[in-house]
Amino acid sequence: MRWGRTLYQAGLQSLAGGNVASPRARRAPLPASLLRRVGDGLTDVRQQQMRLGRDAVSLLRKARNGEIDPSDLDLDLGTGLFSRAWWLKAAGCTLLLGAALWAGSHVTPILEATPAAFTPSQREDAAVFALAPLARGGVTGMAPRVDARQLRPLAEAPERPRVERSLTIGRRGLTAALRNAGVGATDVSAVTRLLAGINPGGGSRAELVLGRRETKSVPRPLDQLSLRAAFDLKVELTRVDGALTLKRIPIAVDSTPLRVEGAAGGSLNRALRSAGIPAGPAAEFVKQMRHVVDFQRGLGKADRFDIIVEQDRAATGEVRHGKLLFGALTRKGKTPVEIGLYKGDYYQASGEGVTRGLMRTPVNGARMTSKFGMRLHPLLGFSRMHQGVDFGAVSGTPIIAAGGGTVSFAGWHGGHGQYVMIRHNKDLATAYAHMSHIAVKAGQKIRQGQVIGKVGSTGMSTGPHLHYEVWLRGKPANPVSLKFIGGAELAGRDLDAFQRQMNRWRALPESQPVVAADD
């Protein structure tokens, strides 16, 4: 490549036109003294060639006339090996080669020094004339050098022929999302008319394409709109012959319910979430089981849960979970408890309604630390009637209403500290003592399971816990042994249909949970 650089000549034409000065053209001109010596050397070489030619012609003429021996002109070393003539010829050849090598070493080179290496800018300019692969910097042409005097500013920037956008449908609906995306009022009205009866929910994604407009004073026309109208339906709107047309694309959905079994551990709610059960069905399972299972002594490591939840899986990969369908809890040494959903309510396997007068445990995951009846008071030092049961829990743990009713008292109540009493009917009331915070007020209507306060240690208390009382016809009752009647009960055809449904749930195979986008 070094000798190749000497081939660059000034005045080469670039692909875009105009002269391109080569790197060699930018070098300084050769000195006059060097040019004179080169010319003299070439003249001497020409004269020597002419003299040798004349001598050769003279020798040949004398050999033909017999004036000299022709063998004296034989220079072939392949004849007369090692003879006197051969040695003379070998000596002559050796002298000639030695003289040529000596003369060559004393010849002055045409160039005085090695050419300087290219600068980065020179290398970039010369790359367009080099034959090299792309990996070695080869290019196929040079960028044109535009004359600034030939440039003319545009009156306005040219518009893109089409614009593609993605949008999220917010709380104000699809119409507002389309307007924010730049869709004109006429196209928005056409979309609303075509999608009559279809209401995509908030958070849904839509893809749209806006076409070319005639002037900047009018909005771009809507050429295409694609969105998920429902879990099992996708719609596409396309402009054909100037008008929008609607295409419905059904999406296949597999509605096989999700069934998961596992160990309950120390916390049922935590075990359900760890097993992949969505938060809604997991909370519903704990809530319904609290009506029929005594959580006062907690759960053991050997206790197990079995839960079935509605699950829809679209062919496009989305997953949607629904209601709790079936739930079972197996505790060591006790009869398993099963519940199932039938016509909007939960029933036990026997057909008895799950919902009763009161929940058995008003604190989630708490253990009973003190029973109902006579006991030695830990602070007063003498025995007296303990009119409720105590549940040990961390301070701040939510307390829920064991049943629906009206708050008859909420405030400070002597040794009970922060105290709430709820009257459920004319005969039944419940009370909650030693609370750190009260979340309700007297006269307020309360529903079953509503948070009414938090666990604390106010009043005469040795530590954070909930003192829970049940009053029946004005007298304290044992919350553990008291049975409350009032739940619905299935019979006849409804009982048969419910039990057949329970058998189908029991036969359903266990499946692998899939986390949904909204979980």
Side-chain angles (χ1 to χ4, degrees), residues 346-363:
Y346 290 95
Y347 297 89
Q348 300 185 57
S350 62
E352 182 181 357
V354 170
T355 303
R356 298 188 178 189
L358 296 177
M359 290 182 178
R360 290 180 177 268
T361 309
V363 182

Side-chain angles (χ1 to χ4, degrees), residues 58-78:
S58 176
L59 289 174
L60 292 175
R61 185 174 61 252
K62 290 180 179 180
R64 285 196 298 268
N65 296 334
E67 298 177 3
I68 61 174
D69 188 1
S71 62
D72 295 337
L73 299 177
D74 184 13
L75 300 179
D76 187 6
L77 295 177

Side-chain angles (χ1 to χ4, degrees), residues 6-352:
T6 63
L7 299 179
Y8 298 144
Q9 299 294 330
L12 290 178
Q13 299 293 320
S14 69
L15 297 179
N19 291 334
V20 179
S22 70
R24 180 60 59 194
R26 289 195 289 269
R27 293 179 55 83
L30 296 175
S33 59
L34 176 62
L35 294 177
R36 284 195 300 271
R37 287 204 306 271
V38 171
D40 294 340
L42 293 176
T43 302
D44 292 339
V45 170
R46 181 62 177 168
Q47 292 175 352
Q48 291 292 338
Q49 288 178 345
M50 294 174 64
R51 185 169 59 253
L52 291 175
R54 288 194 299 269
D55 293 341
V57 172
S58 176
L59 289 174
L60 292 175
R61 185 174 61 252
K62 290 180 179 180
R64 285 196 298 268
N65 296 334
E67 298 177 3
I68 61 174
D69 188 1
S71 62
D72 295 337
L73 299 177
D74 184 13
L75 300 179
D76 187 6
L77 295 177
T79 60
L81 294 176
F82 306 110
S83 63
R84 180 177 178 277
W86 184 88
W87 284 108
L88 291 175
K89 291 186 288 184
C93 289
T94 303
L95 290 174
L96 290 174
L97 289 175
L101 293 175
W102 177 85
S105 63
H106 288 75
V107 174
T108 302
I110 296 178
L111 298 178
E112 291 183 337
T114 303
F118 280 178
T119 63
S121 60
Q122 292 173 343
R123 185 179 298 107
E124 182 179 355
D125 291 340
V128 295
F129 305 108
L131 297 178
L134 294 177
R136 300 293 297 243
V139 294
T140 57
M142 179 183 291
R145 298 181 180 180
V146 181
D147 187 357
R149 295 173 298 178
Q150 305 297 326
L151 297 178
R152 295 292 184 272
L154 294 174
E156 60 181 13
E159 286 195 340
R160 296 166 58 186
R162 55 183 278 163
V163 176
E164 299 179 3
R165 292 181 179 174
S166 298
L167 56 90
T168 301
I169 302 175
R171 292 180 297 177
R172 295 189 297 168
L174 177 62
T175 299
L178 291 176
R179 289 174 179 170
N180 293 338
V183 181
T186 303
D187 288 340
V188 171
S189 300
V191 171
T192 304
R193 175 176 51 81
L194 292 173
L195 296 181
I198 299 177
N199 185 23
S204 300
R205 299 284 298 174
E207 306 291 333
L208 58 86
V209 177
L210 301 177
R212 188 190 299 274
R213 56 184 174 181
E214 297 179 357
T215 63
K216 289 188 175 181
S217 60
V218 298
R220 288 178 175 269
L222 178 63
D223 284 351
Q224 187 175 353
L225 175 65
S226 175
L227 60 90
R228 189 71 169 266
F231 189 77
D232 58 350
L233 178 64
K234 180 180 179 181
V235 296
E236 289 185 355
L237 285 82
T238 308
R239 187 174 294 278
V240 179
D241 296 332
L244 291 174
T245 59
L246 174 66
K247 179 181 179 182
R248 296 172 177 263
I249 305 176
I251 300 175
V253 176
D254 180 11
S255 298
T256 304
L258 167 68
R259 182 175 189 177
V260 179
E261 301 178 19
S267 173
L268 180 58
N269 193 42
R270 187 185 304 117
L272 294 173
R273 295 294 288 150
S274 299
I277 303 300
E284 186 67 26
F285 180 83
V286 175
K287 175 183 175 181
Q288 298 300 328
M289 281 296 177
R290 188 180 284 120
H291 291 286
V292 294
V293 176
D294 183 9
F295 288 149
Q296 296 169 356
R297 293 176 177 81
L299 298 174
K301 295 182 178 180
D303 299 342
R304 298 186 63 82
F305 67 85
D306 185 0
I307 185 171
I308 298 178
V309 178
E310 288 180 335
Q311 177 177 265
D312 295 328
R313 301 184 66 173
T316 51
E318 295 82 4
V319 179
R320 179 179 64 183
H321 294 114
K323 298 178 181 179
L324 170 69
L325 300 177
F326 172 88
L329 193 61
T330 304
R331 305 186 65 186
K332 185 177 180 180
K334 296 186 178 181
T335 303
V337 177
E338 294 179 339
I339 62 173
L341 180 65
Y342 182 74
K343 293 185 178 181
D345 293 321
Y346 290 95
Y347 297 89
Q348 300 185 57
S350 62
E352 182 181 357

